[in-house]
Amino acid sequence: MIPAEIIIRKRNGHELSAQEIGFFIEGFTRNTIPDYQMAALAMAIFFRGMTPAETATLVRCMMESGETYDLDDLGLPLVDKHSTGGVGDKISLILAPLAAACGLGVPMVSGRGLGHTGGTLDKLESIPGFRVGLDRDAFREGVRRVGVCMIGQTDSFVPADKKLYALRDVTGTVESIPLITGSILSKKLASGARALVMDVKYGSGAFMDTLEKARALADALEAAGAAMGTPVRCVLSDMGAPLGAAVGNTLEVLESLDLLRGSGPADVRDLTLRLTAEMLVLGRVADSLDEATALATRKLDDGSAMVVFRRMVEYQGGDVSVCDGPTLGWSGPAANGQSRLDLDHIHAGSMSLASGRLVVRAHAHATIAAIDTRAVGMAGIELGAGRLRSDEGIDHGVGILCHVRPGQVVKSGDALFTLIHREGRGVTAAEARLRAALATA
Amino acid sequence: MIPAEIIIRKRNGHELSAQEIGFFIEGFTRNTIPDYQMAALAMAIFFRGMTPAETATLVRCMMESGETYDLDDLGLPLVDKHSTGGVGDKISLILAPLAAACGLGVPMVSGRGLGHTGGTLDKLESIPGFRVGLDRDAFREGVRRVGVCMIGQTDSFVPADKKLYALRDVTGTVESIPLITGSILSKKLASGARALVMDVKYGSGAFMDTLEKARALADALEAAGAAMGTPVRCVLSDMGAPLGAAVGNTLEVLESLDLLRGSGPADVRDLTLRLTAEMLVLGRVADSLDEATALATRKLDDGSAMVVFRRMVEYQGGDVSVCDGPTLGWSGPAANGQSRLDLDHIHAGSMSLASGRLVVRAHAHATIAAIDTRAVGMAGIELGAGRLRSDEGIDHGVGILCHVRPGQVVKSGDALFTLIHREGRGVTAAEARLRAALATA
């Protein structure tokens, strides 16, 4: 097969065969097809799209470009969750142990933060000693023993995605639904999951900024899953404000710990229960969403999820003392939004937390009409909590606490955000971004 | 400026600024912008197109990527002609000396054959000793002394096009009108021409297979010329059959010599006069096309063009004896289609001509409805007359004589084609292609 002819076929709107897609992905992974041909094909796919069958083939070929994990013999219903990325999205830290506590096996291969969105690996590494670089056997043993294991990609894990993602980033081909689908599903299915719940976000903090685009991605993900015989269930969720109060790595672990203890912000609790319930139904642990929600609620509130979290931290070499005292300062039950945040009670234990505090206050009486959530994430980068390039380091101990939500009425002097900063680094730029992020009515 | 952002702007349908286009082309030429980003931009341009202003900027940036020739101080009206490529297209060999005989300066930088189309340089090199690799000073001196000089590109001549053309060829981005326009005009204007006649071909032997596509390219070329302040005049011409009888390098030189002597096929003579007349008007040597046509006809028929051809061959180191005896066998005046081809009189002189002959004859009475002219060019490649890849060698002495035209009635046993082959090489494949190339009614 001739690469240029395959590019031309896609350019002209034809459906590529499984052989053509396989030839291209394998050649690209092995460097026999050069980057410039892959770049041209990616741009042609951006314009022409892919059918569900093509997308499913792309997923499979990318998945098979490297090592895959087969955990079927563990005898667990293997269900994973993936989020398309947001700000303050610490759901996985609560959901994964909760789903395991309910009887699922959760083999979770996660990523790092990039741009305005955070990453699960960075958050976990806020816990001293926590190792995300486990090998295949240790990963498998973690799922077997604890029910959940959360690791990062090894070099041999879906190498086609690693190469293709880096190439798309510099060739203007990130925003292509079939390519996004290929990237997400290839990694998630290579980790051993046999069913997948997708948290597809929309709104100002999401990659898909409109509900319409999020729905199109959700449709593509579910269609590709169906074409592969893998159940994929998408939940559309609003990323028009940060999830919970905490944005930043240690801060988000602290908030997750509060949630695992039954307090914390209601939006995080609600979304966690909703997504976990979908996982339980997919994994046939529950027959209905109502039943699944009841089970998940019970396992969260009776401390079972926290027990699994503690065992996971212990198995992955982390300091289990973080599970005892540390808190962001949430108290009272999270259900029905009764929990209150008191920053005087913030306690990070052995985790890094910067000592600088700056409270950004309202200058006038106003109603918060909207939050540019992406800008909140970018403000976090100014403080050092995130990165613009994948080779940059981050400061786990800095971040932002968000005290307002769209629709909220504030009066002059009310706290809008609290910046947790390291010796003033990035404070001026972050404050400017945060003030600009609020639209008032 | 960030290359990926420029790609995204074009991808999203925005007009690029002169700065953005300049940054991209310069970076690509100097290898600071990698091939994969240029490939993605080229594909985005394929889908989104370019405005006349963008295309003109592209032409200028490509032209300025290397050495340009300035011949203005020669005091000649500098007008060039370019063909989009065809089969049997030997027009330049007759037209360039004819235009010079009429008073123009013709600084012609030509290319080699690739795929089904032939190239002027290959044809000229059929003449023993003829050098197409002259440097800038020798080229200039040729135009000054002879009125015409025909050379190939040096490495420092429009390097952006050399790189971009090679990249487009392997990334499925050849068929983009702004990129074709950039490639053609950048080279033609870098050669020192101040006005340009374009022979834009359509039909089965052309890159633009339909009249509609050829018209779109013609419009883009004229608009880009206008935006640059350079008169560009397009003539649409039919490539639904090979031009003349000869396809192949020595054969086409022989046919050109017959035309310079006043005999030869009428279609080649007519198109030569038509294009030359346009050049003379553009160069203000004549006030009207009628006047220009009369002048060109006189200079062709009185032997003036042949005198210039001979001087050009001499200046460029070729064997001038080819101008005396050698002939394809045309006799009688070409005007009004009176000239007849008699293959018994073919005489190549010092030029290479293979001795093998195979006449492909009609099996039945039929009317030739159409000729797949591209397939005739490909049959020439089978014999060794052309190349599929730019690094392949060719055999100047082989080729095809085409005895039929669309609309012609043939009876069983009539000669359709004569193959001039080297010891049988490619004869079977060529004959099969030629028979398949004829649609009969």
Side-chain angles (χ1 to χ4, degrees):
Chain A
M1 279 184 275
I2 297 169
E5 290 182 359
I6 297 174
I7 298 169
I8 288 171
R9 275 173 43 72
K10 174 46 67 184
R11 186 198 78 183
N12 291 349
H14 298 290
E15 183 175 39
L16 300 184
S17 70
Q19 287 70 30
E20 287 171 321
I21 294 170
F23 169 77
F24 223 101
I25 295 298
E26 188 181 333
F28 174 64
T29 308
R30 294 184 180 189
N31 298 314
T32 56
I33 290 181
D35 286 355
Y36 51 79
Q37 290 183 317
M38 189 71 231
L41 181 64
M43 188 61 85
I45 291 170
F46 175 89
F47 280 99
R48 292 296 193 177
M50 280 184 138
T51 64
E54 283 179 299
T55 307
T57 302
L58 178 68
V59 170
R60 187 175 291 114
C61 292
M62 289 177 68
M63 184 178 91
E64 291 170 353
S65 69
E67 146 180 88
T68 57
Y69 304 153
D70 184 343
L71 308 173
D72 291 346
D73 62 332
L74 295 183
L76 289 165
L78 297 162
V79 187
D80 196 1
K81 183 225 61 156
H82 181 76
S83 157
T84 58
V87 178
D89 183 3
K90 69 277 298 175
I91 302 288
S92 289
L93 274 63
I94 313 149
L95 166 144
L98 174 58
C102 295
L104 296 181
V106 186
M108 193 175 272
V109 178
S110 298
R112 298 196 177 275
L114 188 63
H116 71 283
T117 64
T120 298
L121 300 183
D122 295 323
K123 293 168 197 178
L124 290 170
E125 285 181 342
S126 304
I127 301 169
F130 197 101
R131 293 188 304 124
V132 298
L134 304 190
D135 67 15
R136 171 147 71 168
D137 289 342
F139 177 60
R140 176 193 186 74
E141 180 62 13
V143 177
R144 193 189 68 78
R145 207 189 292 180
V146 184
V148 53
C149 196
M150 299 173 84
I151 63 169
Q153 297 178 40
T154 61
D155 286 343
S156 55
F157 187 80
V158 197
D161 179 65
K162 216 165 279 140
K163 276 197 75 178
L164 183 53
Y165 193 86
L167 184 65
R168 286 166 57 208
D169 192 39
V170 293
T171 56
T173 50
V174 169
E175 300 88 345
S176 159
I177 282 180
L179 296 179
I180 293 171
T181 302
S183 176
I184 292 174
L185 289 188
S186 63
K187 284 180 292 192
K188 281 291 157 182
L189 300 182
S191 72
R194 293 296 172 240
L196 184 61
V197 172
M198 288 288 318
D199 181 7
V200 181
K201 299 192 174 295
Y202 61 89
S204 62
F207 281 110
M208 299 285 152
D209 54 348
T210 66
L211 185 56
E212 188 191 1
K213 288 185 198 166
R215 213 165 254 152
L217 175 57
D219 288 347
L221 287 162
E222 292 189 348
M228 297 186 71
T230 302
V232 174
R233 175 89 182 92
C234 292
V235 171
L236 298 177
S237 76
D238 184 8
M239 201 64 246
L243 265 168
V247 177
N249 298 285
T250 292
L251 296 174
E252 294 192 44
V253 173
L254 291 173
E255 190 166 71
S256 299
L257 290 165
D258 287 338
L259 280 147
L260 285 165
R261 285 187 205 104
S263 62
D267 62 337
V268 179
R269 178 182 166 99
D270 291 348
L271 184 56
T272 302
L273 289 171
R274 186 173 164 207
L275 293 166
T276 306
E278 295 282 1
M279 291 172 74
L280 296 177
V281 171
L282 274 191
R284 298 171 195 267
V285 168
D287 290 332
S288 69
L289 282 178
D290 283 347
E291 187 193 321
T293 305
L295 172 61
T297 304
R298 200 166 67 242
K299 293 292 183 182
L300 182 60
D301 291 340
D302 71 5
S304 301
M306 180 60 118
V307 168
V308 175
F309 184 83
R310 178 192 289 269
R311 291 178 62 201
M312 178 179 77
V313 171
E314 184 175 20
Y315 178 78
Q316 299 197 230
D319 177 2
V320 293
S321 78
V322 301
C323 302
D324 298 325
T327 173
L328 194 65
W330 288 98
S331 62
N336 309 315
Q338 300 299 307
S339 197
R340 310 286 300 175
L341 180 61
D342 179 355
L343 292 186
D344 291 340
H345 287 94
I346 190 168
H347 168 50
S350 60
M351 289 187 281
S352 162
L353 192 72
S355 58
R357 299 287 182 278
L358 176 80
V359 181
V360 178
R361 296 185 186 280
H363 292 321
H365 186 280
T367 300
I368 306 298
I371 300 178
D372 179 353
T373 309
R374 183 186 193 93
V376 176
M378 297 306 287
I381 293 179
E382 301 284 2
L383 299 175
R387 55 175 83 79
L388 284 175
R389 288 205 332 266
S390 59
D391 56 352
E392 289 172 337
I394 59 166
D395 183 341
H396 291 88
V398 299
I400 295 162
L401 296 170
C402 185
H403 307 301
V404 289
R405 307 196 65 74
Q408 190 169 326
V409 177
V410 294
K411 56 183 196 305
S412 182
D414 277 1
L416 303 169
F417 301 97
T418 300
L419 277 54
I420 314 291
H421 61 85
R422 184 86 64 190
E423 293 163 6
R425 177 191 162 185
V427 161
T428 308
E431 181 179 357
R433 281 191 188 263
L434 290 170
R435 287 202 180 274
L438 296 183
T440 54
Chain B
M1 279 185 276
I2 298 169
E5 290 181 359
I6 297 173
I7 298 169
I8 288 171
R9 274 173 44 71
K10 175 46 67 185
R11 186 198 76 184
N12 291 349
H14 299 289
E15 184 175 39
L16 299 185
S17 70
Q19 288 71 31
E20 288 172 320
I21 294 170
F23 169 79
F24 223 101
I25 295 299
E26 189 183 330
F28 174 63
T29 308
R30 296 184 178 188
N31 298 314
T32 57
I33 290 180
D35 286 355
Y36 51 79
Q37 289 183 318
M38 190 71 230
L41 181 64
M43 188 60 86
I45 290 170
F46 174 89
F47 280 100
R48 293 295 193 177
M50 278 184 141
T51 64
E54 282 179 300
T55 308
T57 301
L58 178 68
V59 170
R60 186 174 291 113
C61 293
M62 288 176 69
M63 185 178 89
E64 292 171 352
S65 68
E67 148 180 84
T68 57
Y69 304 152
D70 184 343
L71 309 173
D72 290 347
D73 62 332
L74 296 183
L76 289 166
L78 297 161
V79 187
D80 196 2
K81 185 226 62 159
H82 181 77
S83 157
T84 59
V87 178
D89 183 2
K90 69 278 297 174
I91 301 288
S92 289
L93 274 62
I94 313 148
L95 166 144
L98 173 58
C102 295
L104 296 180
V106 186
M108 194 176 271
V109 178
S110 298
R112 298 197 176 275
L114 188 63
H116 70 286
T117 65
T120 299
L121 299 183
D122 295 323
K123 294 169 196 176
L124 289 170
E125 286 181 343
S126 303
I127 301 170
F130 197 101
R131 294 191 302 126
V132 298
L134 304 190
D135 67 16
R136 171 146 72 168
D137 289 342
F139 177 60
R140 175 192 186 76
E141 181 61 13
V143 177
R144 193 189 67 77
R145 205 189 294 181
V146 184
V148 54
C149 196
M150 300 174 82
I151 63 169
Q153 298 177 40
T154 62
D155 286 342
S156 54
F157 187 80
V158 198
D161 179 64
K162 217 166 276 139
K163 276 197 75 178
L164 183 54
Y165 193 85
L167 184 65
R168 285 166 57 209
D169 191 40
V170 292
T171 56
T173 50
V174 169
E175 299 90 344
S176 158
I177 282 180
L179 295 179
I180 294 170
T181 302
S183 175
I184 293 173
L185 289 188
S186 64
K187 283 180 294 192
K188 281 292 157 183
L189 301 182
S191 73
R194 293 295 173 240
L196 185 61
V197 172
M198 287 288 319
D199 181 8
V200 181
K201 298 192 174 296
Y202 60 90
S204 62
F207 282 112
M208 299 284 152
D209 53 349
T210 65
L211 185 56
E212 187 190 3
K213 287 185 198 169
R215 212 165 254 153
L217 175 58
D219 289 346
L221 287 162
E222 293 189 347
M228 296 185 72
T230 302
V232 174
R233 175 90 182 93
C234 293
V235 171
L236 298 177
S237 76
D238 184 8
M239 201 64 248
L243 265 167
V247 176
N249 297 287
T250 292
L251 296 174
E252 294 191 45
V253 173
L254 292 173
E255 189 165 71
S256 300
L257 290 165
D258 287 337
L259 280 146
L260 286 165
R261 287 187 203 104
S263 62
D267 61 337
V268 178
R269 178 182 166 99
D270 291 348
L271 184 56
T272 301
L273 289 171
R274 185 172 164 207
L275 293 167
T276 306
E278 295 282 1
M279 291 172 75
L280 297 177
V281 172
L282 275 191
R284 297 172 196 269
V285 168
D287 290 332
S288 69
L289 281 177
D290 283 349
E291 188 192 319
T293 305
L295 173 61
T297 303
R298 200 167 65 242
K299 294 292 185 183
L300 184 59
D301 290 342
D302 71 5
S304 301
M306 181 59 119
V307 169
V308 175
F309 184 82
R310 179 191 290 269
R311 292 179 61 202
M312 178 180 77
V313 171
E314 184 175 20
Y315 179 78
Q316 300 197 229
D319 177 1
V320 293
S321 77
V322 300
C323 301
D324 298 325
T327 173
L328 195 64
W330 288 100
S331 62
N336 309 316
Q338 299 299 307
S339 197
R340 309 287 300 175
L341 180 61
D342 178 357
L343 292 187
D344 290 341
H345 286 95
I346 190 166
H347 169 47
S350 61
M351 290 188 281
S352 162
L353 192 71
S355 57
R357 299 287 182 277
L358 177 80
V359 181
V360 178
R361 296 186 185 279
H363 292 322
H365 187 281
T367 301
I368 306 297
I371 300 179
D372 178 352
T373 310
R374 183 187 193 94
V376 177
M378 297 306 289
I381 293 179
E382 302 284 3
L383 299 176
R387 55 175 82 80
L388 284 175
R389 288 205 333 265
S390 59
D391 56 352
E392 288 172 338
I394 58 166
D395 183 341
H396 291 89
V398 299
I400 297 161
L401 296 169
C402 185
H403 308 301
V404 287
R405 308 197 63 73
Q408 191 170 326
V409 176
V410 295
K411 55 184 197 305
S412 184
D414 278 0
L416 304 170
F417 301 97
T418 301
L419 277 53
I420 316 290
H421 61 85
R422 185 86 64 190
E423 293 164 5
R425 179 192 161 184
V427 161
T428 308
E431 181 179 358
R433 282 190 188 264
L434 290 170
R435 288 201 180 275
L438 296 183
T440 53

